[in-house]
């Protein structure tokens, strides 16, 4: 594994994206930064992380024949790799909140941002950005329901050790993609999904609150929710959120 360590950068995802376009990089090249000045989250949000307290890194994977329509399986593999590595470090309940947030006791502890570089109809490279809250104990007031490994366990962690076990674990799950073992990935992902098969209140994009139960995700990564009348509805990101925790 080729690991590039930086003190500060705008965003490790942006840096790696530029680097791969102007040089030849090995698959599994990693960029880790102590500080990001413009950390990016999903859907154009920002990722805020206190300098030197957390893990913020991006991982490059090169694929030979990974179809765009299968991209959600990568999201599954990365979430599974991350959650199973974290389970070796802390004993609390960890879950994947669809599509790929990692929750520790219902609070967000890590986020994932995957950006793909395409070559005609296949994914040539994926840049997998991970922000994991490790030692940060106080968060800005506008960021709610977040936690860190230190907050939930009271322990100090060796960040290199954490990073290596996360990377090795992700590597293990990415193998399933290379072998096109998509159904196996989906089964493991659903087993870790927050509130699966549990009645919960949701809110749709129009603000309508309804009772439903997550029963699956489809191959495009949409969330499949069973409604009270036993029909199902599928939701894309931004089209649904939990109305309660
Ligand atoms: C999210 O939950 O919204 C995704 C957050 C992803 C944050 C990480 S930190 C390292 C990498 N570089 C970025 O700019 N973003 C990702």
């Amino acid at each position: 594994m080729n690991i590039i360590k930086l003190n500060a950068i705008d965003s490790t995802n942006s840096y790696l994206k530029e680097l791969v376009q102007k040089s030849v990089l090995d698959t599994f090249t990693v960029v880790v930064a102590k500080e990001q000045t413009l950390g990016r989250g999903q859907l154009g949000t920002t990722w805020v992380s206190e300098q030197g307290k957390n893990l913020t890194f991006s991982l490059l994977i090169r694929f030979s024949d990974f179809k765009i329509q299968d991209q959600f399986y990568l999201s599954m593999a990365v979430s599974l790799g991350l959650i199973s590595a974290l389970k070796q470090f802390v004993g609390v309940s960890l879950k994947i909140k669809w599509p790929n947030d990692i929750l520790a006791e219902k609070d967000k502890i890590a986020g994932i941002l995957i950006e793909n570089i395409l070559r005609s109809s296949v994914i040539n490279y994926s840049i997998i950005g991970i922000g994991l809250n490790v030692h940060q104990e106080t968060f800005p007031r506008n960021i709610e329901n977040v936690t860190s490994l230190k907050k939930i366990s009271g322990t100090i962690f060796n960040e290199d050790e954490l990073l290596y076990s996360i990377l090795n674990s992700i590597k293990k799950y990415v193998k399933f993609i290379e072998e096109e073992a998509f159904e196996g990935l989906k089964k493991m992902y659903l087993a870790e999904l927050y509130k699966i098969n549990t009645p919960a209140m949701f809110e749709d994009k129009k603000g309508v609150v309804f009772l439903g139960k997550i029963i699956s995700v489809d191959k495009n990564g949409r969330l499949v929710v069973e409604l009270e009348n036993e029909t199902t509805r599928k939701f894309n990101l931004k089209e649904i959120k939990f109305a309660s925790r």
Side-chain angles (χ1 to χ4, degrees), residues 179-196:
E179 291 160 5
E180 298 197 1
F182 297 141
E183 279 313 303
L185 268 179
K186 179 171 167 181
K187 215 168 151 197
M188 291 184 283
Y189 175 85
L190 292 180
E192 299 291 349
L193 200 60
Y194 179 61
K195 291 233 171 133
I196 183 128

Side-chain angles (χ1 to χ4, degrees), residues 210-245:
F210 61 95
L211 180 66
K213 186 171 79 178
I214 297 171
I215 54 167
S216 192
V217 289
D218 73 2
K219 62 179 175 18
N220 300 314
R222 288 183 300 178
L223 191 67
V224 185
V225 178
E226 187 182 278
L227 307 180
E228 266 184 303
N229 62 9
E230 289 181 6
T231 59
T232 56
R233 255 178 91 184
K234 293 180 172 184
F235 297 90
N236 278 311
L237 200 58
K238 272 264 168 124
E239 291 179 347
I240 188 171
K241 61 181 181 196
F242 285 108
S244 60
R245 296 216 295 153

Side-chain angles (χ1 to χ4, degrees), residues 55-222:
L55 270 178
T56 49
F57 63 96
S58 301
L59 157 70
L60 179 82
I61 303 183
R62 193 178 58 214
F63 292 101
S64 54
D65 185 26
F66 183 32
K67 297 178 185 61
I68 299 167
Q69 62 265 32
D70 293 329
Q71 62 181 294
F72 193 67
Y73 293 106
L74 180 61
S75 181
M76 289 184 186
V78 175
S79 329
L80 284 166
L82 182 52
I83 202 168
S84 75
L86 294 179
K87 281 183 178 174
Q88 298 162 18
F89 289 88
V90 284
V92 306
S93 154
L94 296 169
K95 286 280 163 200
I96 301 168
K97 185 178 170 194
W98 176 83
N100 57 16
D101 285 349
I102 307 294
L103 301 184
E105 303 281 20
K106 299 191 175 190
D107 288 325
K108 182 162 170 172
I109 196 158
I112 300 168
L113 174 69
I114 301 179
E115 297 181 292
N116 296 316
I117 299 175
L118 310 179
R119 179 174 33 87
S120 53
S121 64
V122 294
I123 296 170
N124 195 4
Y125 291 102
S126 287
I127 292 161
I128 297 157
I130 296 181
L132 168 67
N133 297 332
V134 182
H135 295 121
Q136 186 163 345
E137 287 183 277
T138 53
F139 293 88
R141 243 193 289 151
N142 59 332
I143 305 178
E144 286 178 332
N145 309 328
V146 283
T147 193
S148 67
L149 291 175
K150 168 95 194 293
K151 265 189 101 167
I152 56 172
S153 66
T155 327
I156 303 285
F157 295 84
N158 177 322
E159 289 184 5
D160 280 338
E161 196 189 325
L162 261 175
L163 178 64
Y164 280 100
S165 39
I166 292 168
L167 293 171
N168 284 323
S169 180
I170 291 176
K171 213 173 198 178
K172 216 172 77 188
Y173 285 93
V174 167
K175 275 220 176 77
F176 286 87
I177 302 227
E178 287 155 357
E179 291 160 5
E180 298 197 1
F182 297 141
E183 279 313 303
L185 268 179
K186 179 171 167 181
K187 215 168 151 197
M188 291 184 283
Y189 175 85
L190 292 180
E192 299 291 349
L193 200 60
Y194 179 61
K195 291 233 171 133
I196 183 128
N197 294 325
T198 310
M201 297 307 290
F202 295 92
E203 188 181 324
D204 70 13
K205 62 179 177 207
K206 292 185 184 139
V208 177
V209 174
F210 61 95
L211 180 66
K213 186 171 79 178
I214 297 171
I215 54 167
S216 192
V217 289
D218 73 2
K219 62 179 175 18
N220 300 314
R222 288 183 300 178

Side-chain angles (χ1 to χ4, degrees), residues 11-13 36 38-42 45 47 56-58 101 108 111-113 129-131:
S11 147
T12 55
N13 263 41
Q36 290 190 123
L38 217 69
R40 295 189 285 113
Q42 282 175 22
T45 56
W47 182 258
T56 49
F57 63 96
S58 301
D101 285 349
K108 182 162 170 172
I112 300 168
L113 174 69
I130 296 181

